[in-house]
Amino acid sequence: MSNQSPSDGSTARIGRTPMPEQDPKVRARNFKEVPLGFTPDMAMREASRCLHCKKPLCREGCPVGVPIPDFLALVAKGDFAAAAEKVKETNALPAVCGRVCPQENQCEGRCLLGKKFEPVAIGRCERFVADYQRETGRISVPKKAASNGQKIAVVGAGPSGLTVAGDMILAGYEVTLFDALHKPGGVLMYGIPEFRLPKAIVEAEIASLEKLGVEIRCNSLIGKTITVDELIRDEGFDAVFVGVGAGLPTFLGIPGEDLGNVCSANEYLTRSNLMKGYRFPEYDTPVIRGKNVCVVGGGNVAMDAARSALRLGADTVKIVYRRSEAELPARAEEVHHAKEEGVEFLLLTNPIELLGDDRGQVRAMRVQKMELGEPDASGRRRPIPIPGSEDEFDTDLVVIAAGSRANPVLTHHTENLELSKKGYIVATESGRTSKPGVWAGGDIVTGAATVILAMGAGRTASKDMDTWLKSGKEGWL
Amino acid sequence: MIPIVSNRELAPNIYEMVVENRILARRARAGQFLIVMPDDHGERIPLTIADYDVEAGTVTMVIMAIGTSTRKLVKLGPGDSLYAMLGPLGNASEIENYGTVIMVAGGVGAAPIYPIARALSEAGNRVITIQGSRNKGLLFWVDKLASVSSEHIITTDDGSFGRKALVTEPLRELLEKETVGCVYTIGPAIMMKFCAETVRPFGVRTIASLNSIMIDGTGMCGGCRVRVGGETKFTCVDGPEFDALAIDWSIATARQKSFCEAEKCSLDRYIELNGTK
Ligand SMILES: Cc1cc2nc3c(=O)[nH]c(=O)nc-3n(C[C@H](O)[C@H](O)[C@H](O)COP(=O)(O)OP(=O)(O)OC[C@H]3O[C@@H](n4cnc5c(N)ncnc54)[C@H](O)[C@@H]3O)c2cc1C
Ligand SMILES: Cc1cc2nc3c(=O)[nH]c(=O)nc-3n(C[C@H](O)[C@H](O)[C@H](O)COP(=O)(O)OP(=O)(O)OC[C@H]3O[C@@H](n4cnc5c(N)ncnc54)[C@H](O)[C@@H]3O)c2cc1C
Ligand code: SF4
Ligand code: SF4
Ligand code: FES
């Protein structure tokens, strides 16, 4: 074992510890996790690169303020269980965040070391300690406050809802977690593929919530099966948290989009992940196994769809994205992995039409080349079509990953809930909605964002909920 | 888990299954559907709520066993339970007094049309039902449908019962001689399409209940999308009922074909593992 003292900085200049990974050729055909994780030695070596800055910028970059230098110091000492506890002070799902956070824009993006050398691999260390704790069974059971008899309903079992459920059960409330699907987890279960986030990890987190006493009611579409108003009025819930995510797929609005074998990334990934379509016919739900697949979009969702397509046996997979590489919104690591695995990137390319065969199934995509003009409202340079640059290629499966909108089922069946023009729930900084006793957070408030932001919103809301309930439901907005 | 109360064969390959689901029974309205998963390896498949009993807390489905999932379902009986059930989903039928309403049911469509016919009849409509079937043996719920109809016409393709005709023939005749406020059509896509074409010249409001392929049933995946009046709609949240004259039927039917090969592969495997039935 390496024995560097944690803060002398002498190891800072040594390169970032590489993460062992499955070979790209092999992994592009299986659904096993791609990065294999640090060994204890690797984690200690990497953590000891941290300079323990007086003003840790990394921590400012983390939306939930994980005490990064403190936990890294514990890792460097080899006290992994204590390090995991340290992370969990502010982040309930480190095994998830260590894997899926866009670290380059968050903690690692701000790391001082990154200015001259490579940033500390904070995410990988976080993942390591969480895995270590889970795999060695050294999870200390958190202390639960004495039961106060008040009831909390959490709607949506994605990262925001899971966070609220965990916080509130520990604070002594009775918590019921509702989800529309037959399995809790939200995007962590139905969206992000196994090769990036093994479902066993999500299941373990949910099992620990159940062990703490959270009651999980799946197959409950709030707004249809039962409404928010009924939860409060008839079922006696004292407060409700709404974390239903942004699960309404956006389509492109181009001709041919309703042909067969054209699907949203949500459909494709739900079939493959949640329904285990990748194991069809052992599981009954099929997923289209395209030979020449086109995925439209450049975010994490697009990368997940493209890499799933390879694993489902495609010969070629193209990412069609209308801006340039610099604007790709996906995590850098996912883009890198996708390229290594053989996904082709058709950048500055926009689909304009899908063509069908005589059975009404897609057979080709027509595209147009783009160039970047002036920055638009989002601050990114606006893509402008280049006249005469049309091109066409064959495809037998088109997956559209062009973003999502607010799902209207809950919001349209809840009285007096203020929505934005785009249909998202309007909430204050602490998550209060226009409806007393109802909080909201995560993608249904912000629009599609990240796991850690959804968790952060859940944490903020549960603190405020606790205060409001302890104050005897005093005041609202 | 959803306990099964009963399951009986109504006609060859058509089963009536009653399950216990108190919350769903309380909420259900005519025209809505639910999603079931037979077991934890199963698919999520949509089925219409064919009947419900608030007091008993039960929900009735009528299932035509065609592929793996429906075959798995109809094999179950009292003592078994379903892995998952979500609902009620979709919009309830708009129950108004249209005067005279014609309800056209094809095959297993007799089941979903029943609660709507009942509700329309209770709302004071004169309900004329046309129930079409390939042959006599496949007819079911004849008495039930008759009990909520002022007039009940049965057609079979082979003339083994009722009139030897397609449902569109009596439909056209009725439209020619009566003032009709609304037409409902539920059955195979091709039948609904021909009903729409039959009504079109008469300009009568016509409603079809679409049976798109679905996964979540909550508006999340977009798999159930159809084009109606030039707009993309999701059957599970915007439907399942749409203006039959505005539906793009070629897209609706093409989108049902995407999984043909997989469905066959799944069924072959199922038969291999379970024998023919
Ligand atoms: C394919 C994909 C890949 C992604 N990759 C990353 C990544 O690498 N890193 C990252 O940080 N973020 C990523 N994201 C984004 C991230 O997953 C989301 O921002 C995050 O999950 C949002 O959490 P949430 O709690 O708001 O809701 P969600 O995770 O969306 O969960 C919402 C839950 O609510 C349920 N629900 C919806 N409506 C109802 C209702 N009416 N009643 C009951 N339940 C309901 C849903 O079934 C779902 O389980 C990705 C997203 C996708 C789709
Ligand atoms: C809103 C709605 C309500 C429905 N109500 C009922 C009902 O009350 N009773 C009932 O028996 N069925 C109903 N269906 C159809 C039912 O969902 C399908 O028959 C079922 O999903 C088939 O599953 P399977 O695995 O058994 O067959 P599969 O193997 O999936 O399919 C076998 C054959 O059926 C065709 N098929 C597949 N899916 C559908 C579909 N959605 N509609 C029509 N044909 C299809 C396939 O092309 C194939 O030829 C409804 C569908 C919808 C969308
Ligand atoms: S939660 Fe995410 S942003 Fe925060 S330290 Fe961990 S990996 Fe970085
Ligand atoms: S900014 Fe980088 S070097 Fe400084 S404390 Fe954070 S992780 Fe360590
Ligand atoms: S079934 Fe997924 S959106 Fe309708």
Side-chain angles (χ1 to χ4, degrees):
Chain A
M1 280 206 180
S2 49
N3 253 327
Q4 288 99 350
S5 77
S7 54
D8 67 357
S10 63
T11 47
R13 279 169 300 260
I14 62 169
R16 209 166 130 106
T17 315
M19 174 83 104
E21 291 177 345
Q22 274 198 73
D23 178 76
K25 279 207 195 66
V26 176
R27 73 183 193 232
R29 299 292 166 192
N30 71 45
F31 273 86
K32 292 198 206 108
E33 191 172 14
V34 169
L36 301 172
F38 277 163
T39 60
D41 277 350
M42 290 174 188
M44 288 166 73
R45 172 181 184 274
E46 183 59 25
S48 64
R49 294 179 63 227
C50 172
L51 304 172
H52 297 277
C53 306
K54 277 221 181 65
K55 194 169 161 284
L57 293 172
C58 53
R59 191 171 179 178
E60 288 172 21
C62 169
V64 296
V66 166
I68 296 167
D70 301 353
F71 106 79
L72 288 176
L74 291 164
V75 177
K77 275 202 297 189
D79 194 349
F80 305 134
E85 291 305 323
K86 197 75 195 154
V87 178
K88 284 191 173 169
E89 284 174 11
T90 61
N91 175 355
L93 303 172
V96 175
C97 295
R99 288 175 164 83
V100 306
C101 267
Q103 286 95 3
E104 69 273 19
N105 304 327
Q106 297 181 352
C107 52
E108 295 177 18
R110 301 286 299 278
C111 172
L112 189 72
L113 258 188
K115 298 219 161 65
K116 266 179 98 176
F117 311 100
E118 288 174 297
V120 179
I122 301 164
R124 291 170 183 179
C125 290
E126 194 170 306
R127 164 187 166 161
F128 170 79
V129 296
D131 288 356
Y132 176 87
Q133 204 189 26
R134 190 183 60 255
E135 284 159 13
T136 57
R138 287 195 212 178
I139 302 184
S140 62
V141 183
K143 262 191 106 153
K144 231 170 112 169
S147 165
N148 60 34
Q150 287 185 299
K151 285 171 65 183
I152 311 294
V154 177
V155 184
S160 66
L162 292 174
T163 306
V164 175
D167 287 355
M168 295 310 273
I169 196 89
L170 289 179
Y173 296 88
E174 276 176 40
V175 180
T176 309
L177 179 55
F178 296 90
D179 201 280
L181 293 169
H182 57 278
K183 278 209 176 121
V187 169
L188 307 182
M189 227 41 207
Y190 78 73
I192 303 179
E194 180 78 17
F195 56 82
R196 206 148 74 75
L197 177 62
K199 299 306 146 220
I201 292 172
V202 185
E203 281 163 356
E205 296 294 347
I206 289 164
S208 64
L209 285 181
E210 283 189 285
K211 223 177 282 159
L212 285 169
V214 173
E215 187 193 334
I216 301 184
R217 300 234 301 252
C218 288
N219 305 303
S220 307
L221 181 61
I222 307 305
K224 286 281 184 187
T225 310
I226 187 164
T227 64
V228 171
D229 295 281
E230 287 166 331
L231 289 175
I232 299 170
R233 201 178 51 223
D234 307 338
E235 305 270 319
F237 284 100
D238 295 284
V240 179
F241 176 81
V242 177
V244 292
L248 186 83
T250 312
F251 289 91
L252 305 168
I254 59 172
E257 207 168 13
D258 293 312
L259 289 163
N261 291 356
V262 179
C263 64
S264 76
N266 278 2
E267 175 181 352
Y268 188 63
L269 292 169
T270 301
R271 282 179 180 278
S272 182
N273 303 328
L274 179 72
M275 306 311 298
K276 303 242 182 298
Y278 70 91
R279 287 165 67 180
F280 177 87
E282 181 195 343
Y283 283 78
D284 294 340
T285 307
V287 51
I288 296 163
R289 291 174 183 252
K291 282 291 158 209
N292 297 296
V293 181
C294 284
V295 178
V296 181
N300 286 321
V301 187
M303 300 306 139
D304 284 345
R307 297 173 67 201
S308 295
L310 279 177
R311 287 161 173 79
L312 288 165
D315 296 333
T316 69
V317 179
K318 295 182 174 68
I319 291 261
V320 180
Y321 180 60
R322 62 198 183 114
R323 301 178 199 252
S324 71
E325 170 124 21
E327 285 84 14
L328 279 171
R331 292 178 75 216
E333 187 176 335
E334 308 314 328
V335 176
H336 169 70
H337 280 153
K339 285 186 178 165
E340 277 187 336
E341 289 166 12
V343 173
E344 294 167 52
F345 283 72
L346 296 185
L347 301 167
L348 291 165
T349 307
N350 200 31
I352 48 175
E353 186 179 2
L354 303 177
L355 308 165
D357 64 16
D358 51 11
R359 289 174 60 247
Q361 310 299 306
V362 71
R363 67 167 173 83
M365 176 186 276
R366 277 176 66 73
V367 298
Q368 189 170 37
K369 281 277 164 204
M370 310 295 273
E371 59 190 355
L372 291 180
E374 295 298 305
D376 62 13
S378 73
R380 295 181 300 177
R381 292 175 65 197
R382 184 200 307 275
I384 309 168
I386 303 174
S389 65
E390 289 80 6
D391 194 5
E392 185 181 313
F393 40 80
D394 291 347
T395 175
D396 55 353
L397 172 61
V398 174
V399 181
I400 315 271
S404 57
R405 290 177 293 150
N407 187 306
V409 173
L410 178 136
T411 53
H412 286 190
H413 292 91
T414 307
E415 290 161 25
N416 308 321
L417 187 63
E418 190 187 339
L419 304 180
S420 71
K421 268 202 210 92
K422 291 187 165 169
Y424 294 102
I425 298 177
V426 175
T428 63
E429 215 132 277
S430 48
R432 295 188 184 192
T433 68
S434 59
K435 206 175 163 69
V438 179
W439 279 256
D443 285 4
I444 191 59
V445 172
T446 55
T450 60
V451 170
I452 192 68
L453 284 171
M455 290 176 54
R459 171 71 35 105
T460 312
S462 46
K463 279 199 188 119
D464 189 47
M465 203 181 256
D466 186 41
T467 311
W468 186 76
L469 290 168
K470 291 224 164 88
S471 79
K473 308 190 182 178
E474 254 327 287
W476 188 246
L477 293 180
Chain B
M1 298 292 257
I2 304 293
I4 295 172
V5 177
S6 68
N7 180 24
R8 66 186 180 105
E9 195 167 14
L10 294 175
N13 260 341
I14 300 177
Y15 294 77
E16 178 190 276
M17 181 179 280
V18 180
V19 299
E20 194 183 305
N21 190 335
R22 216 155 264 290
I23 303 179
L24 217 155
R26 194 180 62 196
R27 281 267 141 186
R29 296 290 173 272
Q32 291 187 298
F33 65 97
L34 45 77
I35 287 213
V36 292
M37 271 176 89
D39 57 48
D40 68 346
H41 281 41
E43 262 183 296
R44 296 170 64 92
I45 65 159
L47 295 169
T48 306
I49 300 170
D51 207 350
Y52 49 91
D53 182 334
V54 183
E55 233 132 74
T58 59
V59 175
T60 304
M61 302 162 285
V62 172
I63 307 159
M64 183 157 69
I66 46 173
T68 306
S69 308
T70 46
R71 281 178 198 230
K72 273 188 172 181
L73 276 177
V74 303
K75 260 191 149 178
L76 305 173
D80 297 325
S81 40
L82 303 175
Y83 173 73
M85 175 174 279
L86 173 69
L89 301 173
N91 298 305
S93 309
E94 283 172 31
I95 304 301
E96 292 171 30
N97 195 333
Y98 297 101
T100 298
V101 187
I102 305 179
M103 314 292 293
V104 188
V108 75
I113 222 151
Y114 167 73
I116 308 173
R118 180 176 61 186
L120 286 168
S121 157
E122 280 165 3
N125 288 280
R126 183 169 156 255
V127 174
I128 305 177
T129 306
I130 305 173
Q131 181 175 8
S133 167
R134 283 214 307 280
N135 60 51
K136 181 180 174 197
L138 291 173
L139 282 166
F140 66 92
W141 280 19
V142 172
D143 293 345
K144 237 176 138 154
L145 273 176
S147 74
V148 295
S149 313
S150 317
E151 202 178 320
H152 185 200
I153 301 164
I154 293 176
T155 67
T156 50
D157 293 359
D158 64 357
S160 53
F161 195 84
R163 195 167 148 184
K164 179 176 193 299
L166 295 174
V167 288
T168 43
E169 286 175 38
L171 175 61
R172 180 176 300 107
E173 290 161 17
L174 285 166
L175 288 163
E176 276 163 358
K177 68 171 200 234
E178 306 242 7
T179 309
V180 174
C182 182
V183 175
Y184 259 88
T185 171
I186 308 186
I190 187 80
M191 181 206 88
M192 295 193 280
K193 177 184 161 184
F194 280 111
C195 285
E197 290 320 313
T198 306
V199 185
R200 195 181 300 279
F202 297 91
V204 175
R205 176 189 166 119
T206 304
I207 298 164
S209 180
L210 289 182
N211 48 7
S212 324
I213 292 178
M214 295 189 181
I215 307 165
D216 57 307
T218 70
M220 182 270 279
C221 76
C224 62
R225 67 192 188 280
V226 283
R227 300 255 331 147
V228 182
E231 277 179 65
T232 295
K233 298 278 181 191
F234 291 179
T235 303
C236 67
V237 287
D238 300 321
E241 293 178 2
F242 293 103
D243 174 357
L245 305 181
I247 294 168
D248 184 329
W249 290 100
S250 63
I251 286 173
T253 42
R255 288 191 58 78
Q256 292 217 328
K257 289 186 197 138
S258 297
F259 293 95
C260 278
E261 260 171 66
E263 284 155 356
K264 190 172 174 309
C265 153
S266 170
L267 183 58
D268 289 348
R269 180 174 178 276
Y270 178 80
I271 290 173
E272 201 181 299
L273 295 174
N274 294 278
T276 33
K277 201 142 194 213

